[in-house]
Amino acid sequence: MNEKQITLPVQTIPVSYDVDVLVVGGGASGIAAAISAAEGGANTLLIEQRGFLGGMGTVALVPAFCPFTDKEKPIIRGIGMKLMERMKQACNADYRAEYQETLDWVPIDPEVLKRVYDDALLESGVSLLYHTFVFDVLLSDDRSKVEGVVIANKSGRSFIRCRYLIDATGDGDLAALAGVPFQKGGDQGELQPGSMCYLLANVNRVKFQQYIQETGDTGQLHQTVERAIAEGALPEGRKSISGLAWVNDYLVGVNFGHVFGIDGTKAEDLTRGAIEGRKLAERQVEFFRKYVPGFDMAHMVASGEQVGIRETRRIQGDYVLTVDDFISARSFPDDIARNAYYIDIHLANHKSEMTFNHLPPGQSHGVPYRIMLPVGIENVWVAGRSASSDRAVQGSLRVMPNCFAMGQAAGTAAALAASTGATSRKISVTQLQKLLLEQDVWLGEKFPPTEGER
């Protein structure tokens, strides 16, 4: 017997669900995909490994939504914006008053957001299955279609049969299981670091703002962090705080620092990331208490269930979106969204530099439908940070507003395919764009682009 391997016995398992559209992953892309597919008339099931939706915004406590605008106007609209606005309305009066007109860097109240997402999906007619992992995928005999997935949960192992599948795992897990080619990280396999985010209570925002005004430091505490690193209170690494998102005057979400060498597709790395991330967060809280007025009595009330992950797989799609497309603000005939978020590649180790590349205010580039179509598979869409792009553009596409936009397009396309029996590549992209426009998606002031602008 091979001591490194065992052979499992053949097992017959039940079919637990039979659906038109199966969405795997309950982050921003999966949420929007499931809502749009169900509202398009498809029998839709979403499965999620945790007991709630929200992805990095709730699982990892990423403290704020990235921008929905190009610094002049909202460009990510549709389902994502509606859900953010719904969260605002569900928060208390002080929060609503402060952030009512804000569309960029809106702080996340994770417990409110969990309930908003639950309600929105159920109202749309989506069936939900939490606490469930995908164990494997079953391909057709010619390997051109996914016929369903094997799941594992407390009820046991079972099979979900589906006509169409949306991989919204963020890691391209289903696409990889189906044999779709992918890239991961940089040329040497390096990956952006993870971050352990957390919520601090018992802080004083007024005192903090007074400190900023008196010292001339920034809201990211550049000067204070550099001084703490020099004095050994913080480890070498990022010399500012990624973000402080004030839910109210005594509660703030924190995104600060990095955990290096974490591959989010490996359980061993996620385990190490969680342990190291919590240790780093403890050290950071001590820094806040000692160095930052208003934080002297800070108390950590929650840390992320897992370290936040910025990049893993990028699938090979029918088109690879490139940095040249980003820089030239290119439009495409099959655009399903616009993006203006800057290229944001975090340092792979504490000695390397971060990369930023901004488009001018008012500019955005198109997001073509083809980047969600994995090569070789005819009934699968990959929506979210694993869509087909080069590494630089992935550093821009990966944020929640863009994931909402891609998810909405994928779900709408899946519902359209289900209504006609078409494959993902045979649907009418013109009809898809028409449906998205009816859903308040913005495809640009010059949509459709002229031949010279494509």
Side-chain angles (χ1 to χ4, degrees), residues 27 89 372 435:
Q89 294 306 310
M372 299 191 297
L435 291 170

Side-chain angles (χ1 to χ4, degrees), residues 238-254:
R238 187 163 190 182
K239 294 180 170 56
S240 65
I241 296 171
S242 299
L244 294 175
W246 293 88
V247 179
N248 53 47
D249 285 347
Y250 55 86
L251 181 67
V252 65
V254 182

Side-chain angles (χ1 to χ4, degrees), residues 402-424:
N402 290 328
C403 290
F404 279 127
M406 286 183 277
Q408 183 167 359
T412 303
L416 181 59
S419 69
T420 62
T423 67
S424 58

